[in-house]
Amino acid sequence: MAFNHKHLIDITEYSADDIMTILETATRFKEVNERRIKQVPTLKGVTVVNMFNEPSTRTRSSFEIAEKRLSANSLNFGGSSTSTVKGESLVDTVETLCSYKIDMIIVRDKHAGVPRKIADVSGVHVIDAGDGKHQHPTQALLDLYSIWERKGDLNGLKVGVVGDIGHSRVCGSLIPALKIMGCEVTVIAPPTLMPARPDILGADHVTSNLDEALPELDVVYMLRIQRERLEGAPYPSLREYNLLYGLTQEREHLMKPDALICHPGPINRGVELDSYMADHPKRSIILDQVYAGILTRMAALYLLLGGSEDGITA
Ligand code: CP
């Protein structure tokens, strides 16, 4: 299958075949990650800049590990240690970095649209590692991989996306990605955390009643409450939110016996998930999602940058 993308910025630009190519390539990199020496020379000589202008644990560390395991050279850049604090513009910053003949910029930024702007001005490959409330496409890929690995097939799965739909960039790419892969998506959120037009994301069903929706779902994807992006008071208290929308031990009897629990992390324990559900040995695949971050990011880097097959088994 031909893979003809320069950037990974908007998941809606990817077809089901493109996404399946990434998931199948991630499976090949799982084999690499199970070796004693977890490194292949496929991106030797390639330089990748990790520009993280917002905090991150999972995305940043997994991109760095993915680059190292593919033998790419990494430059970690961003935040308060750069000349942006002296007033240097985004465009000047990017042009400066590109003068070093880099090959790719991976960017996280609090402003939606920054990855596209960088792609327009730089000429190098760009991956969106989360931009404002817009998208987080590699999160969607690792989510799809984790669900696909457990369920075997994505087509026809009933997936509920629960919580802070209005402020979440995760759902901005997850919901379209689930639809591209043939899932039936239900959005579940309090009215105050629902965007004005939830249909824009492409969900099949929209409800504010978690207890009514749960019995139908094969996968329950709990979103993090985006405390850093909340304006006003969209719910009376975190305790109230947990009572109505938290996936708690008391709600387990409403779930299908084989329903899975996902969360992008970081978890607000006791708010959107209690520890019983977050650590559930049969249902929770949250740490599988974290591991899939390495595999799918290795796959995306390899496919976008046209890496060599050296060291990868067929
Ligand atoms: N899921 C996610 O993007 O986590 P980080 O903010 O830790 O990267």
Side-chain angles (χ1 to χ4, degrees):
M1 180 59 57
F3 186 86
N4 291 316
H5 291 277
K6 179 165 183 178
H7 309 299
L8 176 50
I9 295 175
D10 182 344
I11 201 73
T12 66
E13 294 171 352
Y14 280 58
S15 67
D17 283 344
D18 294 331
I19 291 173
M20 197 42 77
T21 299
I22 296 172
L23 304 191
E24 285 167 354
T25 305
T27 302
R28 296 172 71 197
F29 284 119
K30 184 171 185 183
E31 188 273 322
V32 171
N33 279 276
E34 284 166 1
R35 296 178 192 166
R36 191 174 68 82
I37 306 295
K38 301 170 182 57
Q39 193 173 37
V40 285
T42 178
L43 293 184
K44 207 166 172 26
V46 168
T47 303
V48 178
V49 173
N50 301 306
M51 185 193 285
F52 277 73
N53 300 322
E54 259 198 334
S56 167
T57 296
R58 281 148 283 268
T59 312
R60 181 175 179 153
S61 59
S62 60
F63 265 120
E64 285 182 36
I65 292 171
E67 290 151 19
K68 285 178 171 55
R69 291 190 179 169
L70 294 171
S71 303
N73 300 310
S74 303
L75 172 69
N76 298 317
F77 178 92
S80 59
S81 63
T82 72
S83 286
T84 54
V85 296
K86 300 180 212 162
E88 189 165 33
S89 72
L90 174 72
V91 171
D92 285 343
T93 302
V94 168
E95 286 178 346
T96 300
L97 292 169
C98 288
S99 299
Y100 304 139
K101 308 294 178 206
I102 63 168
D103 299 287
M104 174 179 271
I105 296 177
I106 294 166
V107 59
R108 168 169 290 193
D109 201 281
K110 68 179 177 186
H111 299 294
V114 163
R116 182 70 68 193
K117 179 73 182 168
I118 292 175
D120 290 346
V121 301
S122 71
V124 303
H125 298 269
V126 175
I127 296 181
D128 178 356
D131 62 325
K133 291 191 266 183
H134 178 225
Q135 285 213 21
H136 192 353
T138 58
Q139 178 71 44
L141 292 171
L142 72 87
D143 296 333
L144 290 177
Y145 180 90
S146 309
I147 298 167
W148 174 63
E149 195 176 45
R150 283 297 185 105
K151 292 288 189 185
D153 192 4
L154 294 167
N155 191 38
L157 278 184
K158 294 186 177 181
V159 182
V161 184
V162 186
D164 189 357
I165 306 289
H167 301 94
S168 168
R169 58 187 171 215
V170 168
C171 73
S173 36
L174 175 65
I175 294 173
L178 289 166
K179 289 303 302 168
I180 291 166
M181 300 313 289
C183 300
E184 185 177 325
V185 181
T186 302
V187 157
I188 304 147
T192 48
L193 289 175
M194 197 79 86
R197 295 274 317 275
D199 56 308
I200 285 172
L201 294 170
D204 299 283
H205 316 285
V206 176
T207 176
S208 290
N209 193 321
L210 176 61
D211 290 346
E212 275 180 18
L214 270 180
E216 297 296 318
L217 302 176
D218 300 304
V219 179
V220 187
Y221 194 107
M222 302 304 295
L223 293 170
R224 181 173 71 87
I225 286 285
Q226 308 276 300
R227 295 194 226 193
E228 70 278 25
R229 281 187 250 281
L230 293 184
E231 294 129 25
Y235 41 82
S237 67
L238 292 176
R239 185 175 148 65
E240 183 98 356
Y241 181 86
N242 178 257
L243 279 175
L244 287 172
Y245 294 100
L247 194 59
T248 56
Q249 184 170 3
E250 292 71 39
R251 289 200 156 94
E252 189 179 14
H253 73 281
L254 296 171
M255 298 174 72
K256 284 186 181 176
D258 59 350
L260 300 176
I261 299 167
C262 298
H263 190 292
I267 303 169
N268 295 306
R269 283 180 187 256
V271 182
E272 62 263 7
L273 270 177
D274 65 10
S275 286
Y276 174 84
M277 290 300 216
D279 305 326
H280 198 295
K282 290 205 179 76
R283 298 184 182 281
S284 173
I285 60 167
I286 295 170
L287 289 177
D288 295 1
Q289 291 172 267
V290 174
Y291 180 47
I294 303 272
L295 312 180
T296 49
R297 288 174 176 130
M298 285 176 81
L301 289 163
Y302 164 80
L303 290 165
L304 290 168
L305 288 160
S308 80
E309 290 282 310
D310 211 1
I312 313 170
T313 49

PDB file of all heavy atoms in Angstrom, residues 13-44:
ATOM      1  N   GLU A  13      -7.246  13.785   6.899  1.00  0.00           N
ATOM      2  CA  GLU A  13      -6.553  13.682   5.601  1.00  0.00           C
ATOM      3  C   GLU A  13      -6.080  12.249   5.337  1.00  0.00           C
ATOM      4  O   GLU A  13      -5.538  11.965   4.278  1.00  0.00           O
ATOM      5  CB  GLU A  13      -5.360  14.638   5.565  1.00  0.00           C
ATOM      6  CG  GLU A  13      -5.779  16.100   5.611  1.00  0.00           C
ATOM      7  CD  GLU A  13      -4.618  17.067   5.791  1.00  0.00           C
ATOM      8  OE1 GLU A  13      -3.473  16.617   6.040  1.00  0.00           O
ATOM      9  OE2 GLU A  13      -4.861  18.273   5.707  1.00  0.00           O
ATOM     10  N   TYR A  14      -6.262  11.374   6.315  1.00  0.00           N
ATOM     11  CA  TYR A  14      -5.808   9.983   6.189  1.00  0.00           C
ATOM     12  C   TYR A  14      -7.001   9.069   5.924  1.00  0.00           C
ATOM     13  O   TYR A  14      -8.047   9.189   6.563  1.00  0.00           O
ATOM     14  CB  TYR A  14      -5.098   9.557   7.485  1.00  0.00           C
ATOM     15  CG  TYR A  14      -3.657  10.050   7.573  1.00  0.00           C
ATOM     16  CD1 TYR A  14      -3.357  11.404   7.499  1.00  0.00           C
ATOM     17  CD2 TYR A  14      -2.612   9.161   7.708  1.00  0.00           C
ATOM     18  CE1 TYR A  14      -2.045  11.853   7.556  1.00  0.00           C
ATOM     19  CE2 TYR A  14      -1.294   9.602   7.775  1.00  0.00           C
ATOM     20  CZ  TYR A  14      -1.022  10.951   7.703  1.00  0.00           C
ATOM     21  OH  TYR A  14       0.273  11.381   7.761  1.00  0.00           O
ATOM     22  N   SER A  15      -6.812   8.120   4.993  1.00  0.00           N
ATOM     23  CA  SER A  15      -7.871   7.152   4.683  1.00  0.00           C
ATOM     24  C   SER A  15      -7.767   5.948   5.640  1.00  0.00           C
ATOM     25  O   SER A  15      -6.768   5.793   6.363  1.00  0.00           O
ATOM     26  CB  SER A  15      -7.704   6.660   3.238  1.00  0.00           C
ATOM     27  OG  SER A  15      -6.503   5.908   3.151  1.00  0.00           O
ATOM     28  N   ALA A  16      -8.772   5.071   5.578  1.00  0.00           N
ATOM     29  CA  ALA A  16      -8.716   3.834   6.376  1.00  0.00           C
ATOM     30  C   ALA A  16      -7.488   3.008   5.985  1.00  0.00           C
ATOM     31  O   ALA A  16      -6.835   2.406   6.845  1.00  0.00           O
ATOM     32  CB  ALA A  16     -10.002   3.032   6.174  1.00  0.00           C
ATOM     33  N   ASP A  17      -7.141   2.986   4.689  1.00  0.00           N
ATOM     34  CA  ASP A  17      -5.942   2.232   4.258  1.00  0.00           C
ATOM     35  C   ASP A  17      -4.674   2.853   4.831  1.00  0.00           C
ATOM     36  O   ASP A  17      -3.758   2.131   5.252  1.00  0.00           O
ATOM     37  CB  ASP A  17      -5.858   2.221   2.719  1.00  0.00           C
ATOM     38  CG  ASP A  17      -6.838   1.228   2.101  1.00  0.00           C
ATOM     39  OD1 ASP A  17      -7.346   0.356   2.838  1.00  0.00           O
ATOM     40  OD2 ASP A  17      -7.098   1.337   0.895  1.00  0.00           O
ATOM     41  N   ASP A  18      -4.592   4.188   4.833  1.00  0.00           N
ATOM     42  CA  ASP A  18      -3.411   4.860   5.418  1.00  0.00           C
ATOM     43  C   ASP A  18      -3.262   4.485   6.894  1.00  0.00           C
ATOM     44  O   ASP A  18      -2.172   4.174   7.379  1.00  0.00           O
ATOM     45  CB  ASP A  18      -3.560   6.393   5.350  1.00  0.00           C
ATOM     46  CG  ASP A  18      -3.556   6.940   3.940  1.00  0.00           C
ATOM     47  OD1 ASP A  18      -2.931   6.333   3.065  1.00  0.00           O
ATOM     48  OD2 ASP A  18      -4.185   8.008   3.733  1.00  0.00           O
ATOM     49  N   ILE A  19      -4.390   4.556   7.613  1.00  0.00           N
ATOM     50  CA  ILE A  19      -4.339   4.277   9.056  1.00  0.00           C
ATOM     51  C   ILE A  19      -3.977   2.817   9.294  1.00  0.00           C
ATOM     52  O   ILE A  19      -3.156   2.487  10.149  1.00  0.00           O
ATOM     53  CB  ILE A  19      -5.682   4.668   9.722  1.00  0.00           C
ATOM     54  CG1 ILE A  19      -5.825   6.208   9.706  1.00  0.00           C
ATOM     55  CG2 ILE A  19      -5.770   4.120  11.146  1.00  0.00           C
ATOM     56  CD1 ILE A  19      -7.158   6.738  10.178  1.00  0.00           C
ATOM     57  N   MET A  20      -4.549   1.920   8.471  1.00  0.00           N
ATOM     58  CA  MET A  20      -4.220   0.493   8.652  1.00  0.00           C
ATOM     59  C   MET A  20      -2.748   0.239   8.337  1.00  0.00           C
ATOM     60  O   MET A  20      -2.103  -0.587   9.001  1.00  0.00           O
ATOM     61  CB  MET A  20      -5.142  -0.364   7.762  1.00  0.00           C
ATOM     62  CG  MET A  20      -5.196  -1.822   8.140  1.00  0.00           C
ATOM     63  SD  MET A  20      -5.274  -2.189   9.919  1.00  0.00           S
ATOM     64  CE  MET A  20      -6.972  -1.845  10.273  1.00  0.00           C
ATOM     65  N   THR A  21      -2.197   0.970   7.363  1.00  0.00           N
ATOM     66  CA  THR A  21      -0.756   0.839   7.071  1.00  0.00           C
ATOM     67  C   THR A  21       0.066   1.223   8.304  1.00  0.00           C
ATOM     68  O   THR A  21       1.053   0.546   8.653  1.00  0.00           O
ATOM     69  CB  THR A  21      -0.372   1.731   5.868  1.00  0.00           C
ATOM     70  OG1 THR A  21      -1.106   1.288   4.728  1.00  0.00           O
ATOM     71  CG2 THR A  21       1.118   1.660   5.565  1.00  0.00           C
ATOM     72  N   ILE A  22      -0.338   2.293   8.984  1.00  0.00           N
ATOM     73  CA  ILE A  22       0.392   2.715  10.190  1.00  0.00           C
ATOM     74  C   ILE A  22       0.259   1.646  11.285  1.00  0.00           C
ATOM     75  O   ILE A  22       1.245   1.284  11.929  1.00  0.00           O
ATOM     76  CB  ILE A  22      -0.116   4.087  10.684  1.00  0.00           C
ATOM     77  CG1 ILE A  22       0.186   5.170   9.637  1.00  0.00           C
ATOM     78  CG2 ILE A  22       0.526   4.457  12.028  1.00  0.00           C
ATOM     79  CD1 ILE A  22      -0.428   6.525   9.936  1.00  0.00           C
ATOM     80  N   LEU A  23      -0.943   1.115  11.475  1.00  0.00           N
ATOM     81  CA  LEU A  23      -1.142   0.120  12.541  1.00  0.00           C
ATOM     82  C   LEU A  23      -0.347  -1.159  12.245  1.00  0.00           C
ATOM     83  O   LEU A  23       0.273  -1.740  13.149  1.00  0.00           O
ATOM     84  CB  LEU A  23      -2.628  -0.213  12.716  1.00  0.00           C
ATOM     85  CG  LEU A  23      -3.593   0.957  13.009  1.00  0.00           C
ATOM     86  CD1 LEU A  23      -4.964   0.415  13.406  1.00  0.00           C
ATOM     87  CD2 LEU A  23      -3.065   1.898  14.066  1.00  0.00           C
ATOM     88  N   GLU A  24      -0.342  -1.564  10.984  1.00  0.00           N
ATOM     89  CA  GLU A  24       0.411  -2.783  10.635  1.00  0.00           C
ATOM     90  C   GLU A  24       1.913  -2.546  10.744  1.00  0.00           C
ATOM     91  O   GLU A  24       2.663  -3.434  11.174  1.00  0.00           O
ATOM     92  CB  GLU A  24       0.007  -3.251   9.228  1.00  0.00           C
ATOM     93  CG  GLU A  24      -1.371  -3.920   9.252  1.00  0.00           C
ATOM     94  CD  GLU A  24      -1.980  -4.137   7.877  1.00  0.00           C
ATOM     95  OE1 GLU A  24      -1.392  -3.666   6.883  1.00  0.00           O
ATOM     96  OE2 GLU A  24      -3.059  -4.765   7.814  1.00  0.00           O
ATOM     97  N   THR A  25       2.353  -1.339  10.401  1.00  0.00           N
ATOM     98  CA  THR A  25       3.781  -1.009  10.552  1.00  0.00           C
ATOM     99  C   THR A  25       4.147  -0.971  12.034  1.00  0.00           C
ATOM    100  O   THR A  25       5.238  -1.413  12.433  1.00  0.00           O
ATOM    101  CB  THR A  25       4.084   0.348   9.874  1.00  0.00           C
ATOM    102  OG1 THR A  25       3.638   0.283   8.520  1.00  0.00           O
ATOM    103  CG2 THR A  25       5.570   0.668   9.905  1.00  0.00           C
ATOM    104  N   ALA A  26       3.231  -0.484  12.865  1.00  0.00           N
ATOM    105  CA  ALA A  26       3.475  -0.466  14.317  1.00  0.00           C
ATOM    106  C   ALA A  26       3.668  -1.885  14.848  1.00  0.00           C
ATOM    107  O   ALA A  26       4.490  -2.120  15.748  1.00  0.00           O
ATOM    108  CB  ALA A  26       2.314   0.224  15.029  1.00  0.00           C
ATOM    109  N   THR A  27       2.939  -2.830  14.293  1.00  0.00           N
ATOM    110  CA  THR A  27       3.104  -4.237  14.697  1.00  0.00           C
ATOM    111  C   THR A  27       4.514  -4.716  14.398  1.00  0.00           C
ATOM    112  O   THR A  27       5.125  -5.452  15.184  1.00  0.00           O
ATOM    113  CB  THR A  27       2.068  -5.115  13.952  1.00  0.00           C
ATOM    114  OG1 THR A  27       0.777  -4.621  14.257  1.00  0.00           O
ATOM    115  CG2 THR A  27       2.153  -6.558  14.376  1.00  0.00           C
ATOM    116  N   ARG A  28       5.064  -4.303  13.241  1.00  0.00           N
ATOM    117  CA  ARG A  28       6.443  -4.677  12.902  1.00  0.00           C
ATOM    118  C   ARG A  28       7.414  -4.057  13.913  1.00  0.00           C
ATOM    119  O   ARG A  28       8.399  -4.675  14.301  1.00  0.00           O
ATOM    120  CB  ARG A  28       6.779  -4.222  11.486  1.00  0.00           C
ATOM    121  CG  ARG A  28       5.934  -4.919  10.415  1.00  0.00           C
ATOM    122  CD  ARG A  28       6.159  -4.321   9.051  1.00  0.00           C
ATOM    123  NE  ARG A  28       7.472  -4.642   8.525  1.00  0.00           N
ATOM    124  CZ  ARG A  28       8.054  -3.992   7.515  1.00  0.00           C
ATOM    125  NH1 ARG A  28       7.443  -2.981   6.921  1.00  0.00           N
ATOM    126  NH2 ARG A  28       9.250  -4.344   7.089  1.00  0.00           N
ATOM    127  N   PHE A  29       7.126  -2.836  14.347  1.00  0.00           N
ATOM    128  CA  PHE A  29       8.019  -2.207  15.320  1.00  0.00           C
ATOM    129  C   PHE A  29       7.830  -2.794  16.722  1.00  0.00           C
ATOM    130  O   PHE A  29       8.725  -2.684  17.561  1.00  0.00           O
ATOM    131  CB  PHE A  29       7.857  -0.679  15.308  1.00  0.00           C
ATOM    132  CG  PHE A  29       8.524  -0.061  14.116  1.00  0.00           C
ATOM    133  CD1 PHE A  29       7.803   0.647  13.179  1.00  0.00           C
ATOM    134  CD2 PHE A  29       9.889  -0.219  13.925  1.00  0.00           C
ATOM    135  CE1 PHE A  29       8.429   1.189  12.067  1.00  0.00           C
ATOM    136  CE2 PHE A  29      10.527   0.320  12.817  1.00  0.00           C
ATOM    137  CZ  PHE A  29       9.796   1.029  11.879  1.00  0.00           C
ATOM    138  N   LYS A  30       6.709  -3.439  16.976  1.00  0.00           N
ATOM    139  CA  LYS A  30       6.552  -4.144  18.254  1.00  0.00           C
ATOM    140  C   LYS A  30       7.589  -5.259  18.340  1.00  0.00           C
ATOM    141  O   LYS A  30       8.197  -5.470  19.399  1.00  0.00           O
ATOM    142  CB  LYS A  30       5.129  -4.706  18.372  1.00  0.00           C
ATOM    143  CG  LYS A  30       4.883  -5.351  19.713  1.00  0.00           C
ATOM    144  CD  LYS A  30       3.435  -5.715  19.905  1.00  0.00           C
ATOM    145  CE  LYS A  30       3.223  -6.253  21.312  1.00  0.00           C
ATOM    146  NZ  LYS A  30       1.871  -6.694  21.538  1.00  0.00           N
ATOM    147  N   GLU A  31       7.797  -5.912  17.237  1.00  0.00           N
ATOM    148  CA  GLU A  31       8.819  -6.993  17.213  1.00  0.00           C
ATOM    149  C   GLU A  31      10.201  -6.396  17.547  1.00  0.00           C
ATOM    150  O   GLU A  31      10.962  -6.978  18.322  1.00  0.00           O
ATOM    151  CB  GLU A  31       8.786  -7.670  15.834  1.00  0.00           C
ATOM    152  CG  GLU A  31       9.640  -8.917  15.705  1.00  0.00           C
ATOM    153  CD  GLU A  31      11.079  -8.624  15.305  1.00  0.00           C
ATOM    154  OE1 GLU A  31      11.315  -7.712  14.481  1.00  0.00           O
ATOM    155  OE2 GLU A  31      11.981  -9.288  15.850  1.00  0.00           O
ATOM    156  N   VAL A  32      10.494  -5.223  16.991  1.00  0.00           N
ATOM    157  CA  VAL A  32      11.788  -4.566  17.283  1.00  0.00           C
ATOM    158  C   VAL A  32      11.881  -4.246  18.778  1.00  0.00           C
ATOM    159  O   VAL A  32      12.923  -4.442  19.422  1.00  0.00           O
ATOM    160  CB  VAL A  32      11.940  -3.270  16.440  1.00  0.00           C
ATOM    161  CG1 VAL A  32      13.162  -2.478  16.889  1.00  0.00           C
ATOM    162  CG2 VAL A  32      12.008  -3.592  14.951  1.00  0.00           C
ATOM    163  N   ASN A  33      10.785  -3.791  19.365  1.00  0.00           N
ATOM    164  CA  ASN A  33      10.775  -3.395  20.776  1.00  0.00           C
ATOM    165  C   ASN A  33      10.818  -4.583  21.733  1.00  0.00           C
ATOM    166  O   ASN A  33      10.957  -4.382  22.939  1.00  0.00           O
ATOM    167  CB  ASN A  33       9.553  -2.513  21.061  1.00  0.00           C
ATOM    168  CG  ASN A  33       9.791  -1.084  20.637  1.00  0.00           C
ATOM    169  OD1 ASN A  33      10.374  -0.297  21.380  1.00  0.00           O
ATOM    170  ND2 ASN A  33       9.398  -0.733  19.418  1.00  0.00           N
ATOM    171  N   GLU A  34      10.678  -5.787  21.200  1.00  0.00           N
ATOM    172  CA  GLU A  34      10.771  -6.976  22.052  1.00  0.00           C
ATOM    173  C   GLU A  34      12.149  -7.622  21.974  1.00  0.00           C
ATOM    174  O   GLU A  34      12.417  -8.604  22.667  1.00  0.00           O
ATOM    175  CB  GLU A  34       9.639  -7.946  21.696  1.00  0.00           C
ATOM    176  CG  GLU A  34       8.317  -7.443  22.272  1.00  0.00           C
ATOM    177  CD  GLU A  34       7.077  -8.112  21.721  1.00  0.00           C
ATOM    178  OE1 GLU A  34       7.208  -9.014  20.872  1.00  0.00           O
ATOM    179  OE2 GLU A  34       5.969  -7.714  22.140  1.00  0.00           O
ATOM    180  N   ARG A  35      13.044  -7.040  21.155  1.00  0.00           N
ATOM    181  CA  ARG A  35      14.411  -7.564  21.080  1.00  0.00           C
ATOM    182  C   ARG A  35      15.235  -7.061  22.277  1.00  0.00           C
ATOM    183  O   ARG A  35      14.875  -6.068  22.905  1.00  0.00           O
ATOM    184  CB  ARG A  35      15.098  -7.060  19.803  1.00  0.00           C
ATOM    185  CG  ARG A  35      14.457  -7.545  18.530  1.00  0.00           C
ATOM    186  CD  ARG A  35      15.180  -6.956  17.326  1.00  0.00           C
ATOM    187  NE  ARG A  35      14.413  -7.175  16.104  1.00  0.00           N
ATOM    188  CZ  ARG A  35      14.648  -6.550  14.951  1.00  0.00           C
ATOM    189  NH1 ARG A  35      15.626  -5.667  14.859  1.00  0.00           N
ATOM    190  NH2 ARG A  35      13.911  -6.801  13.893  1.00  0.00           N
ATOM    191  N   ARG A  36      16.382  -7.714  22.496  1.00  0.00           N
ATOM    192  CA  ARG A  36      17.272  -7.215  23.562  1.00  0.00           C
ATOM    193  C   ARG A  36      17.830  -5.849  23.162  1.00  0.00           C
ATOM    194  O   ARG A  36      17.846  -4.912  23.955  1.00  0.00           O
ATOM    195  CB  ARG A  36      18.404  -8.221  23.810  1.00  0.00           C
ATOM    196  CG  ARG A  36      19.206  -7.919  25.073  1.00  0.00           C
ATOM    197  CD  ARG A  36      20.211  -9.023  25.365  1.00  0.00           C
ATOM    198  NE  ARG A  36      21.290  -9.078  24.384  1.00  0.00           N
ATOM    199  CZ  ARG A  36      22.376  -8.282  24.408  1.00  0.00           C
ATOM    200  NH1 ARG A  36      22.521  -7.402  25.363  1.00  0.00           N
ATOM    201  NH2 ARG A  36      23.303  -8.399  23.477  1.00  0.00           N
ATOM    202  N   ILE A  37      18.297  -5.716  21.920  1.00  0.00           N
ATOM    203  CA  ILE A  37      18.772  -4.426  21.408  1.00  0.00           C
ATOM    204  C   ILE A  37      17.615  -3.809  20.619  1.00  0.00           C
ATOM    205  O   ILE A  37      17.304  -4.252  19.512  1.00  0.00           O
ATOM    206  CB  ILE A  37      20.006  -4.597  20.487  1.00  0.00           C
ATOM    207  CG1 ILE A  37      21.105  -5.384  21.206  1.00  0.00           C
ATOM    208  CG2 ILE A  37      20.509  -3.237  20.000  1.00  0.00           C
ATOM    209  CD1 ILE A  37      21.706  -4.705  22.411  1.00  0.00           C
ATOM    210  N   LYS A  38      16.985  -2.784  21.190  1.00  0.00           N
ATOM    211  CA  LYS A  38      15.735  -2.252  20.620  1.00  0.00           C
ATOM    212  C   LYS A  38      16.030  -1.081  19.692  1.00  0.00           C
ATOM    213  O   LYS A  38      15.500   0.015  19.876  1.00  0.00           O
ATOM    214  CB  LYS A  38      14.810  -1.803  21.752  1.00  0.00           C
ATOM    215  CG  LYS A  38      14.453  -2.924  22.720  1.00  0.00           C
ATOM    216  CD  LYS A  38      13.752  -2.397  23.944  1.00  0.00           C
ATOM    217  CE  LYS A  38      13.430  -3.495  24.921  1.00  0.00           C
ATOM    218  NZ  LYS A  38      14.609  -4.273  25.372  1.00  0.00           N
ATOM    219  N   GLN A  39      16.891  -1.293  18.725  1.00  0.00           N
ATOM    220  CA  GLN A  39      17.250  -0.182  17.840  1.00  0.00           C
ATOM    221  C   GLN A  39      17.522  -0.716  16.436  1.00  0.00           C
ATOM    222  O   GLN A  39      18.137  -1.773  16.279  1.00  0.00           O
ATOM    223  CB  GLN A  39      18.492   0.541  18.375  1.00  0.00           C
ATOM    224  CG  GLN A  39      18.738   1.875  17.684  1.00  0.00           C
ATOM    225  CD  GLN A  39      19.870   2.658  18.324  1.00  0.00           C
ATOM    226  OE1 GLN A  39      20.862   2.079  18.764  1.00  0.00           O
ATOM    227  NE2 GLN A  39      19.719   3.964  18.387  1.00  0.00           N
ATOM    228  N   VAL A  40      17.029   0.045  15.433  1.00  0.00           N
ATOM    229  CA  VAL A  40      17.296  -0.289  14.022  1.00  0.00           C
ATOM    230  C   VAL A  40      17.843   0.976  13.348  1.00  0.00           C
ATOM    231  O   VAL A  40      17.555   2.090  13.789  1.00  0.00           O
ATOM    232  CB  VAL A  40      16.014  -0.778  13.306  1.00  0.00           C
ATOM    233  CG1 VAL A  40      15.668  -2.187  13.738  1.00  0.00           C
ATOM    234  CG2 VAL A  40      14.837   0.165  13.549  1.00  0.00           C
ATOM    235  N   PRO A  41      18.614   0.812  12.274  1.00  0.00           N
ATOM    236  CA  PRO A  41      19.261   1.988  11.660  1.00  0.00           C
ATOM    237  C   PRO A  41      18.393   2.721  10.641  1.00  0.00           C
ATOM    238  O   PRO A  41      18.905   3.530   9.867  1.00  0.00           O
ATOM    239  CB  PRO A  41      20.489   1.364  10.981  1.00  0.00           C
ATOM    240  CG  PRO A  41      20.087  -0.026  10.661  1.00  0.00           C
ATOM    241  CD  PRO A  41      19.092  -0.447  11.699  1.00  0.00           C
ATOM    242  N   THR A  42      17.096   2.504  10.655  1.00  0.00           N
ATOM    243  CA  THR A  42      16.249   2.952   9.540  1.00  0.00           C
ATOM    244  C   THR A  42      16.264   4.463   9.307  1.00  0.00           C
ATOM    245  O   THR A  42      16.139   4.922   8.189  1.00  0.00           O
ATOM    246  CB  THR A  42      14.814   2.391   9.705  1.00  0.00           C
ATOM    247  OG1 THR A  42      14.025   2.876   8.644  1.00  0.00           O
ATOM    248  CG2 THR A  42      14.178   2.787  10.998  1.00  0.00           C
ATOM    249  N   LEU A  43      16.420   5.281  10.359  1.00  0.00           N
ATOM    250  CA  LEU A  43      16.448   6.744  10.170  1.00  0.00           C
ATOM    251  C   LEU A  43      17.819   7.336  10.505  1.00  0.00           C
ATOM    252  O   LEU A  43      17.919   8.509  10.892  1.00  0.00           O
ATOM    253  CB  LEU A  43      15.348   7.415  11.006  1.00  0.00           C
ATOM    254  CG  LEU A  43      13.909   7.112  10.595  1.00  0.00           C
ATOM    255  CD1 LEU A  43      12.919   7.917  11.448  1.00  0.00           C
ATOM    256  CD2 LEU A  43      13.659   7.414   9.114  1.00  0.00           C
ATOM    257  N   LYS A  44      18.861   6.575  10.287  1.00  0.00           N
ATOM    258  CA  LYS A  44      20.228   7.065  10.549  1.00  0.00           C
ATOM    259  C   LYS A  44      20.492   8.295   9.667  1.00  0.00           C
ATOM    260  O   LYS A  44      20.205   8.290   8.473  1.00  0.00           O
ATOM    261  CB  LYS A  44      21.220   5.959  10.216  1.00  0.00           C
ATOM    262  CG  LYS A  44      22.514   6.024  10.966  1.00  0.00           C
ATOM    263  CD  LYS A  44      23.235   4.691  10.801  1.00  0.00           C
ATOM    264  CE  LYS A  44      24.623   4.630  11.322  1.00  0.00           C
ATOM    265  NZ  LYS A  44      25.080   5.429  12.336  1.00  0.00           N
TER     266      LYS A  44
END
